[in-house]
Amino acid sequence: MTENIHSAPQNIYKPAIMKIVARHDEAPGVRTMRLEFQDPAEHEQFKETFRTGMFGLYGIYGEGESTFCVASPETRKEYIECTFRQSGRVTSALASADVGDLVTFRGPYGNRFPIEDFYGKNLLFIAGGIALPPTRSVIWSCLDQREKFGKVTIVYGARTVADLVYKHELEEWQKRDDVDLVLAVDPGGESPDWKHRVGFVPTVLEEAAPSAENCVAVLCGPPIMIKFTLNSLKKLGFEESNVYTTLENRMKCGLGKCGRCNVGSVYVCKEGPVFTAAEVALMPQADL
Amino acid sequence: MSKIGVFICHCGENIAAKVDCTRVAEVLGDHPGVGASVEYKYFCSDPGQESVKRAIRENNLTGVVVAACSPRMHEATFRKACAEAGLNPYMCEIANIREQCSWVHNDGEQATDKAIDIIRSMVEKVKRNNMLQPIEVPVTRRALVIGGGIAGIQAALDIANAGQEVVLVEREPSLGGHMAQLSETFPTLDCSQCIMTPRMVEASQHPKIRLLTYAEVEHVDGYIGNFKVKVRMKARYVNKDTCTGCGECITKCPQKKLSSEFDCGIGKRTAIYTPFAQAVPNKPVIDKDNCTYFKNGKCKVCVKSCPLDCIDFEMQDEFIDLEIGAIVVATGFQVQNNAVYGEYGYGKYADVINGLQFERLASASGPTSGKILRPSDGKEPENIVFIQCAGSRDPSKGVKYCSKICCMYTAKHAMLYAHKVHGGKSNIFYMDIRAAGKGYDEFTRRAIEEDEAGYVRGRVSKVWQENGKLMVRGADTLLGRPVEVAADMVVLATAMVPQPDAKDFAKVVGIGYDEYGFFNEAHLKLRPVESSTAGIYLAGACQSPKDIPDSVAQASASASKVLALFSKEKLEREPVIAVNNEATCAGCWGCVLACPYNAIEKKDILDRSGKVIKRVASVNPGLCQGCGTCVTFCRSNSIDLAGFTEKQIFAEVMGL
Amino acid sequence: MSIEQQYRTRAKELLSSGEVKMVIGYSKGSTPDRRRPAFISTPEDVETLVLDGACIANLSGYLVTEGLLSDEKRVAVFLRPEGIRAINILAAEFQLNAAQVEILGFNTEGNEPTALSGSKVDDFAELIGTLKGIIPDTAGEELYKKLEAMSPQERFDFWQSEFSKCIKCYACRQACPMCYCRRCIVDNNQPQWVNTSSHTLGNFEWNIVRAFHLSGRCVECGNCDRACPVNIPLRLINRKMAGEVLEAFDHFAGSSQTQEPVMASFKKDDTETFIL
Amino acid sequence: MTKILYTDKLDNCVERWRSAGLSVIGPVRNANITAYRPVGSAADLELSQILPDRSIKELFFPQTEPMMRYSIKKDAINTEECLPPVGPRIIFGARPCDASGLAIDDPLFGWDYKDEYWFNRRNETVIVSIACTKSDEFCMCTSLKLSPDSTKGSDVLLRPLESGKGWQVEELTDRGREAFKAIAELLTEGAEAAAPTAVVAEKFDADACSEWLRNPENFESRFWKEISVRCIGCGSCTYLCPTCHCFDIQDEGDTFTGIRRKNWDSCSFALFTMHTSGHNPRSTQSARWRQRIMHKFNYFPGKFSANSCSGCGRCTRQCPVDMGITETLQEISKLSQ
């Protein structure tokens, strides 16, 4: 686990005001927003502290705050990008916010992906559905300094073609010859012109069979996908300590106080959200 | 955030005289989420509507609030304008700053502040509006008319003559209703049967009308355009397809002393009978309760007498299922049982009769062939006392309302009596004479002036028998003295009341009724022929006491409503309906009980293996009228009303 | 044989014969004057059952625990008359099938429990009939009378002061057998009708909404009152509502398992002039 | 010789403290309940109850408190912070278990990020505890290595005199000494004996319990289901607990102005951990009760080196179904043997 890097504002619960400068609909109910700080000091603080893997609490006054990752990489700190699915009270309010509107952001909180430790290694990114955003932050952090890494493979699956997020970036990665992109949709989710794979992520991963040799895997997805994908990774020879994933629990404070994100003795908000598969294995599985 | 356009209408001076529209527009312009805020003299005018449309297009508005008059006036206008500009019409709302603001306030400043509040709260609502789509309901173009009296016949004929199918259900063995019982009708004194019979025949022979007599509506399901109706065909014990109506069986029936319903008990009938000579269909039924064969297992005289072998004692009630698009309820009325007036001696003295019985006495086809004879001894009465308001306008023993027709028919009775019994003397005790109607007042004047009906203003306190005479004691309130009249016959102008089973029937059909059991119209003034349930209309005295012209007029009005409904293949309905959140529904069925339209059903949620894991409420969008009763009842807060969601209402309140 | 022994024997029979899969009763508590709910599913364990004057909690709420009755097996439960009425309401509101409930009925006069005869909910119809309109016990009775005598303003002040203690834990709701909703109105945050904060407004909102939701449904078992960690006399609000409903609609909550909820049912002779 | 504060001087003390700018708080009985509340005079104090019904926690971490006020304009959002009302205060007559509870939570509110709502109040408050001479069957401080005269979390500890006429004064911290300077003249030097402290029997072996809880195998033990079957999830144990610190953040207001509030929340509530997706990591009441016990006696001590329980016993005392920490830990003690 890496050290916590945190800001120390006067009031730890006071959010920064952000302006929506762009928004993009990724999939039905899923939206990406690009936010810019209004207060230069707050922006400076963010630049100093933000590292890939950290999360924030995005909010609208009157509705509350909701936790999700910073989907933009640590190599691009001029703005914050976040991607969320409209489901609850806060995300519904965020979804109705338009370019030019103001929202709030509190963070960045939590730990980070130890990207320096990945230098010189091959990278395997695996994501399912709406869980591409945290992975994307790592992907861009690495692609923005591509020369420091070996082979880069991205395996991304979604339920249907429509559910794939970051479609424009997928295209971009597809075109790059220094990235190996494997796309898949669940059986029945393909469109007539779908040229990629059909199948569930674990199966597709095994078919694509990237080598575990000198390779770090970053895995994000719904709990059930993670469970099966970990098995597949094991089959492919990955050590649990070389597999990184993120946990996303309900949070209110993000600061290790409010008491609801704990899994066993772990405060996901402070000691996570990034964990190795080895660390996750030590947690009480029933509480995940 | 949304871009809401706010359009503040001056309504000429109606609004602008009190509300500072310029200030309102400025304040609203600064309201978060408002994309345009403008004022104009008349937004409902063509240029006004055009400017709304233009603003929607130019500013990419996501919603519209028109601050103007009541939504009753122009909601439809502006929703249409929005639709024409490419905006979902349900993203448009009206903020009423006229009836609810400028018209009711004196202080301009306060009115302006209030207008701002009203509009702001509506802006907050519109921000949370959803793009609703109208609900399309297919329409079965077949009408059901319940009740074969004059109202039902008229409605059926009007619909059928316009080319639409009609099923006409009558629970008695024959069409006709009360009008067939009447002698002459006011104010023209033409013979009721003479004008009624042709209509009955026309209805029975109309190719578009399916006539079901001796039949009752058992069950009504479904909703406007799509009712499913079950009709019970009561066993007639006579095969009506083969029966020619020759009447042999009736002549031969040994059971001859049964009281005739049609003659209101003053005539007799047999056990196998047709209610009256001109009955349509003119085919008998067997009164099972009084038939010797059914009682003793012996007789079968009718079987022997029938040349065509039509009698079938084994016959059972049958059920017919009908698909119906619209229903006209014309179930009529009854007369109150005057036994409640013990002091008038009704039921105790044979010669105290009610108005309907008098009609039968006066009717040429009645038991006395139109002669006015005392039921007790068949003598011609020399003196008759008519007592008006025998039940009506009497909250203590009778009903609170006015039965509307009694003043007129009592005048008519006095007139008929004068014409038939020369020298007969009539006294009419009345409270006041209500003769509003075409030719009505002239008619009562005629009774008084030409036919010398003796009108006494006052109430009768007691009727008793003395020396073969009925002694009537009352008061003449104009002269301020008690009156006592010795009469040979007393006729009570009995109150019109709903059918005794009207409330149960209303439950079957799913319509509302008032405290008496008269069916409720959707709006007393503006929707007088519609029931509270869409697709069900009312005609005749089942809604309130009515005379023949009123009944016929309402029947035709109902028919026009039905025909309007049938003018389209599909019905577009407001999508303002209840929606249940199945995830949080506790399945207590409170909503099912609370729903006045039977629009909520129980639905099973199954797991993959088909096992019921949960039962929840489910709203039928065709039936739901969007009244919101279920929403208020739902304890777990699971039901919401589209167009008026709790989120919207909450925002509206919080925006104030 | 004491009633306790009698019911232990009965419970043993029911479990041994497989007639019920579980007996919900009382066992010894952490102090001599406390009894705690006990869930017995083997005949051997019936000896831990206790029945005495300290057994006052209404156990009917446990019957609607998710999944308990879904296997269509039967469960026996110790119930006082209020508890039996609660079964009627739960059945009338389709939360359970009363046929699955074997009732071990008892009442407490003074400190000694007496057995109530009957085992199915309908067996107690007559008993329930006799309870109609009778104030069940004297708990809080004095205060109730005092409240009744107060002016509206005084009463408002009284409740304001009581509600000011509320800490919004919703223990009253959790303890109430009638609060079975999967999602309580206060847990609906879209919109958040009722504030979760324990300030005057939020406290009033909650307690009054609850009183309305229980009108015509509360059996006055006192579970809420006992559960309240800050001793708000919650039972009195519900007693008031029960009295109003009895007077206005002749409705005695839990009279039968076909009783319609008073606020959602129309009688045929009700006028319907309020529906347009 | 020790310093003694006689009861009859208490009114003067209250006066003195007040003139020294301290607001005085103590156990007060009102509307059928005893809670720590502002004291008008010494007569308001209810010191005879074993312990106040409500814990001391709410003076530092109230059920609801504003964090900020916001107002939304067309192109701007204004946030106005609401820091807790600052002002020195003295709590007279805290129970040692309550005072310890505060000390237990200090590290939680202070790790990495300092929660000012807690610490501003902590720093401004002098806590004068009174050792217990009475206890009831629910008290369990001794099982948690605390005692009826524990000094943990207190600035001053008072020991009741045998005569019942006052207290021996034991000043523990500078803050306590400072506060007692203001009433120095009202104290007497004396040798009067203190009443014996209450006897609180040890009910369970907390160490053995923690050990059992640390064993991952026991996480899935059937025990959790059995012990919590009657739990109705009402959460009053957590709301009365002096150490339970879970909270929620809620916005309240009309459309454009409002208050963001910090409100108590409870791990006993089903919705506490519910994800928006509907997935709930702790979906059963037994999982929630396990979390509560695990958190207090395994996770929390692992992080902050003390059990998150000061043994006040309120959880059991109030539980509508007669459950509580004592019973659970007693059972665990048995299992761990």
Side-chain angles (χ1 to χ4, degrees), chain D residues 7 10-11 14 39-46:
Chain D
T7 321
L10 202 49
D11 242 348
V14 171
V39 172
S41 74
D44 294 345
L45 288 165
E46 160 58 84

Side-chain angles (χ1 to χ4, degrees), chain B residues 42-262:
Chain B
Y42 283 111
F43 271 114
C44 60
S45 67
D46 267 356
Q49 290 186 50
E50 273 315 309
S51 75
V52 172
K53 289 187 217 169
R54 203 165 46 244
I56 293 171
R57 291 197 198 96
E58 283 171 4
N59 301 296
N60 283 325
L61 297 179
T62 56
V64 161
V65 173
V66 181
C69 50
S70 152
R72 284 239 166 186
M73 300 292 295
H74 280 303
E75 187 179 72
T77 313
F78 290 109
R79 286 198 164 160
K80 191 158 154 274
C82 286
E84 282 165 9
L87 187 67
N88 179 294
Y90 294 94
M91 300 305 287
C92 167
E93 298 272 2
I94 307 293
N96 182 349
I97 57 166
R98 194 179 73 174
E99 285 86 339
Q100 292 176 356
C101 186
S102 68
W103 275 2
V104 290
H105 292 290
N106 278 325
D107 185 311
E109 198 143 320
Q110 285 180 346
T112 304
D113 289 343
K114 182 172 167 185
I116 291 168
D117 278 348
I118 293 173
I119 302 167
R120 201 159 42 194
S121 122
M122 201 46 82
V123 168
E124 287 309 309
K125 182 187 182 209
V126 173
K127 281 184 187 172
R128 289 151 184 89
N129 274 18
N130 296 311
M131 298 191 204
L132 303 178
Q133 299 300 334
I135 298 170
E136 286 207 329
V137 186
V139 175
T140 306
R141 291 173 177 175
R142 183 182 300 115
L144 171 71
V145 176
I146 308 173
I150 185 59
I153 291 173
Q154 183 66 40
L157 284 173
D158 282 355
I159 298 167
N161 285 338
Q164 302 294 350
E165 279 182 52
V166 180
V167 181
L168 176 57
V169 174
E170 166 57 50
R171 69 168 159 190
E172 297 301 328
S174 167
L175 287 179
H178 285 302
M179 188 173 162
Q181 291 173 281
L182 306 182
S183 51
E184 271 90 39
T185 57
F186 61 81
T188 46
L189 289 189
D190 42 5
C191 157
S192 184
Q193 289 237 339
C194 311
I195 55 175
M196 182 71 183
T197 319
R199 318 251 46 198
M200 286 157 59
V201 173
E202 190 185 348
S204 74
Q205 293 176 352
H206 202 293
K208 288 281 185 186
I209 297 179
R210 181 175 176 194
L211 181 60
L212 304 174
T213 53
Y214 214 43
E216 281 185 71
V217 171
E218 278 283 304
H219 191 70
V220 176
D221 234 348
Y223 50 93
I224 181 168
N226 297 276
F227 293 105
K228 298 210 179 344
V229 179
K230 190 185 276 301
V231 176
R232 175 194 290 270
M233 301 296 297
K234 293 186 280 190
R236 306 174 83 99
Y237 307 107
V238 174
N239 184 335
K240 72 176 191 312
D241 296 329
T242 53
C243 171
T244 58
C246 69
E248 274 302 309
C249 52
I250 300 173
T251 329
K252 297 275 158 54
C253 179
Q255 184 61 271
K256 296 193 191 299
K257 299 261 158 161
L258 300 170
S259 165
S260 160
E261 295 83 359
F262 186 79

Side-chain angles (χ1 to χ4, degrees), chain A:
Chain A
M1 260 173 256
T2 51
E3 86 282 17
N4 273 294
I5 316 154
H6 59 83
S7 54
Q10 171 71 14
N11 180 339
I12 55 173
Y13 301 104
K14 187 184 173 186
I17 305 295
M18 312 287 287
K19 183 176 254 168
I20 303 175
V21 293
R23 60 173 204 173
H24 179 71
D25 286 331
E26 303 287 354
V30 180
R31 173 169 290 173
T32 297
M33 298 195 303
R34 180 179 289 191
L35 311 175
E36 278 179 6
F37 282 93
Q38 300 297 287
D39 177 348
E42 285 169 344
H43 191 194
E44 273 318 302
Q45 187 129 41
F46 173 78
K47 283 198 209 166
E48 268 171 44
T49 52
F50 173 64
R51 292 300 172 80
T52 282
M54 295 171 88
F55 66 92
L57 285 100
Y58 304 78
I60 294 232
Y61 275 124
E63 304 293 346
E65 294 179 314
S66 183
T67 316
F68 27 92
C69 72
V70 176
S72 44
E74 63 186 38
T75 46
R76 306 175 192 180
K77 295 184 183 173
E78 293 314 305
Y79 51 79
I80 291 175
E81 277 178 343
C82 62
T83 302
F84 59 93
R85 184 192 296 281
Q86 180 188 341
S87 47
R89 178 182 180 185
V90 179
T91 47
S92 296
L94 286 172
S96 67
D98 209 340
V99 172
D101 287 344
L102 300 173
V103 298
T104 68
F105 173 81
R106 198 148 64 72
Y109 297 137
N111 68 352
R112 51 177 295 227
F113 284 96
I115 291 177
E116 296 81 356
D117 299 352
F118 302 171
Y119 288 171
K121 292 185 178 167
N122 297 329
L123 302 175
L124 167 62
F125 298 101
I126 309 156
I130 178 76
L132 186 57
T135 329
R136 174 209 189 224
S137 176
V138 202
I139 294 173
W140 279 119
S141 293
C142 296
L143 292 184
D144 284 349
Q145 38 183 336
R146 180 69 187 84
E147 65 287 355
K148 292 180 178 155
F149 307 93
K151 202 167 157 333
V152 171
T153 311
I154 301 169
V155 178
Y156 176 47
R159 199 172 295 164
T160 71
V161 177
D163 290 323
L164 294 163
V165 299
Y166 302 134
K167 294 187 180 74
H168 49 294
E169 296 189 1
L170 295 175
E171 263 172 49
E172 194 180 332
W173 295 337
Q174 190 84 51
K175 285 184 195 136
R176 285 175 74 140
D177 33 15
D178 58 353
V179 173
D180 192 2
L181 178 68
V182 181
L183 287 178
V185 291
D186 290 356
E190 65 271 27
S191 58
D193 56 348
W194 181 246
K195 295 188 190 66
H196 306 276
R197 292 171 196 251
V198 174
F200 296 104
V201 169
T203 331
V204 169
L205 176 68
E206 285 177 43
E207 286 167 13
S211 163
E213 184 70 32
N214 191 37
C215 187
V216 170
V218 171
L219 163 65
C220 297
I224 186 82
M225 184 203 104
I226 296 216
K227 193 177 153 199
F228 287 102
T229 311
L230 282 175
N231 283 339
S232 302
L233 285 170
K234 205 174 250 175
K235 274 193 222 161
L236 293 169
F238 282 84
E239 294 282 336
E240 277 188 335
S241 54
N242 276 335
V243 178
Y244 290 81
T245 187
T246 60
L247 292 182
E248 288 182 5
N249 264 6
R250 191 158 181 223
M251 293 175 192
K252 282 288 181 175
C253 69
L255 303 157
K257 317 271 182 243
C258 81
R260 77 191 62 216
C261 67
N262 313 36
V263 182
S265 63
V266 172
Y267 283 76
V268 173
C269 65
K270 280 174 53 60
E271 297 157 67
V274 180
F275 297 97
T276 64
E279 286 164 343
V280 173
L282 291 175
M283 298 176 191
Q285 302 299 301
D287 270 5
L288 278 171

Side-chain angles (χ1 to χ4, degrees), chain B residues 503-504 507 512-513 515 584-590 593-594 597 602 614 633 635-637 646-647 650, chain C residues 93-95 180-183 185 188 190-193 213 217 260-261 263-264 266 268 270-272 276:
Chain B
K503 291 180 182 180
D504 292 323
K507 288 265 165 189
Y513 49 87
E515 59 184 299
T584 58
C585 174
C588 72
W589 312 134
L593 281 166
Y597 306 101
K602 298 174 185 180
K614 198 180 161 189
F633 186 79
R635 280 185 292 267
S636 67
N637 208 216
E646 298 208 10
K647 247 176 143 171
F650 191 79
Chain C
E93 295 179 4
F94 303 91
Q95 300 305 308
Y180 50 70
C181 287
R182 285 167 183 84
R183 183 197 61 180
I185 180 169
N188 178 7
Q190 296 190 64
Q192 186 91 45
W193 281 114
H213 281 199
R217 304 170 69 234
E260 293 187 341
M263 292 304 178
F266 306 120
K268 283 198 173 136
D270 281 350
T271 52
E272 288 184 14
L276 280 178

